[in-house]
Amino acid sequence: MTWIDFPLYSGIIGCIWLIGLVFLLWSYRKKQLLNIALPILFIGWGVLLLFVAKLWMELDRPPMRTLGETRLWYATFLPFVGFVTYFRWRYKWFLAYSIVLASVFLTINYLNPETYSKTLMPALQSPWFVPHVLVYLFSYAVLAASSIVAMKGIYDLSKNNLSEETLKLADNLVYIGFAFLTLGLLFGAMWAKEAWGHYWTWDPKEIWAFLTWMGYLTYIHYRYFHTHKTKQSLTILALAFVVLLVCWFGVNYLPVAQTSVHTYTQQ
């Protein structure tokens, strides 16, 4: 089975990314090494994409049901965000962050192996399943990145070294992530209508999804109306990620999760 091969794949990916990160760090002294680092990091990402594709075909369903599977997608999307951000804004540190964080999620999956079933419960057998989960996970990856930028911004601000480029990067990541987060919320409502007959039932997962959406919307509005209150804006953005984490997997461990229609996301 493909999942049994995960330690092998994750080991290969980890080694490739480690080599790529070393060259990426050296490129701060010798810029020409960047031409070596980028292809190496991209190859590692390609191996991860290959594993995801093989797992999808083997399970005969999208690997998006359990927390382990969502962590796998998170590890897949983060490098993509890192590459796009680098080629758009040339932030090497951000590319390194995305690769390191993706490696962390692969390590978590390696240390916490799960059982994967080919069967899906009826509620998951919907055309809305794939777009809802993919859009949400992509938005999570982008918004997580924006919060990391926010924390860097707070640190730079404490050193009186905050650049306008950092603020622009945080804003752009939030705009992209929030757009996909909104799509995920709408797709989820359509899926809920098809599966349970209601667009919205104030399920614990739905409540935290709404709170996450409101958290990033608050940042957008605060930045627009209080452009000079940078520290407060960045703090809101950093805290919004905490709400996102509760929505993503923290809610699964709350007592109210036992009555949730989203309990299929638990391990």
Side-chain angles (χ1 to χ4, degrees), residues 202-223:
W202 294 105
D203 179 85
K205 192 79 169 184
E206 294 172 347
I207 293 173
W208 281 98
F210 177 71
L211 291 175
T212 302
W213 187 81
M214 286 297 298
Y216 287 99
L217 183 64
T218 300
Y219 167 79
I220 292 172
H221 280 272
Y222 197 88
R223 275 285 291 155

Side-chain angles (χ1 to χ4, degrees), residues 17 41-42 45 48-49 73-88 94-95 98-99 102 138 141-142 145 173 176 180:
W17 278 349
L41 294 175
F42 196 83
W45 186 51
L48 179 56
L49 289 175
W73 281 102
Y74 210 63
T76 303
F77 281 133
L78 276 168
F80 174 75
V81 176
F83 282 120
V84 171
T85 303
Y86 170 76
F87 287 115
R88 175 61 180 84
F94 189 82
L95 175 58
S98 66
I99 296 296
F138 180 74
V142 177
L173 289 172
I176 296 171
F180 279 91

Side-chain angles (χ1 to χ4, degrees), residues 16-17 19-20 23-24 32-46 83 87 95:
I16 294 174
W17 278 349
I19 295 172
F23 278 103
L24 187 63
Q32 61 268 28
L33 292 178
L34 186 62
N35 296 327
I36 301 176
L38 292 177
I40 293 176
L41 294 175
F42 196 83
I43 290 172
W45 186 51
F83 282 120
F87 287 115
L95 175 58

Side-chain angles (χ1 to χ4, degrees), residues 80-222:
F80 174 75
V81 176
F83 282 120
V84 171
T85 303
Y86 170 76
F87 287 115
R88 175 61 180 84
W89 292 287
R90 299 297 174 180
Y91 283 103
K92 288 191 286 187
W93 70 266
F94 189 82
L95 175 58
Y97 147 77
S98 66
I99 296 296
V100 170
L101 195 56
S103 301
V104 169
F105 281 104
L106 289 179
T107 302
I108 293 174
N109 270 7
Y110 177 81
L111 297 175
N112 297 274
E114 299 180 0
T115 301
Y116 290 76
S117 171
K118 287 189 176 183
T119 60
L120 283 177
M121 62 186 299
L124 297 180
Q125 297 174 11
S126 167
W128 293 106
F129 175 44
V130 174
H132 170 70
V133 177
L134 280 181
V135 165
Y136 250 126
L137 287 176
F138 180 74
S139 71
Y140 283 5
V142 177
L143 292 174
S146 72
S147 296
I148 294 297
V149 175
M151 288 185 277
K152 179 182 183 298
I154 293 173
Y155 174 80
D156 290 343
L157 192 62
S158 68
K159 300 294 184 180
N160 294 319
N161 192 33
L162 180 63
S163 67
E164 190 65 27
E165 288 298 315
T166 299
L167 292 175
K168 288 181 180 179
L169 176 60
D171 288 342
N172 288 328
L173 289 172
V174 170
Y175 297 152
I176 296 171
F178 184 76
F180 279 91
L181 190 71
T182 303
L183 283 176
L185 206 63
L186 293 174
F187 289 165
M190 299 300 294
W191 182 8
K193 176 65 174 178
E194 178 188 278
W196 301 293
H198 301 283
Y199 290 105
W200 195 268
T201 60
W202 294 105
D203 179 85
K205 192 79 169 184
E206 294 172 347
I207 293 173
W208 281 98
F210 177 71
L211 291 175
T212 302
W213 187 81
M214 286 297 298
Y216 287 99
L217 183 64
T218 300
Y219 167 79
I220 292 172
H221 280 272
Y222 197 88

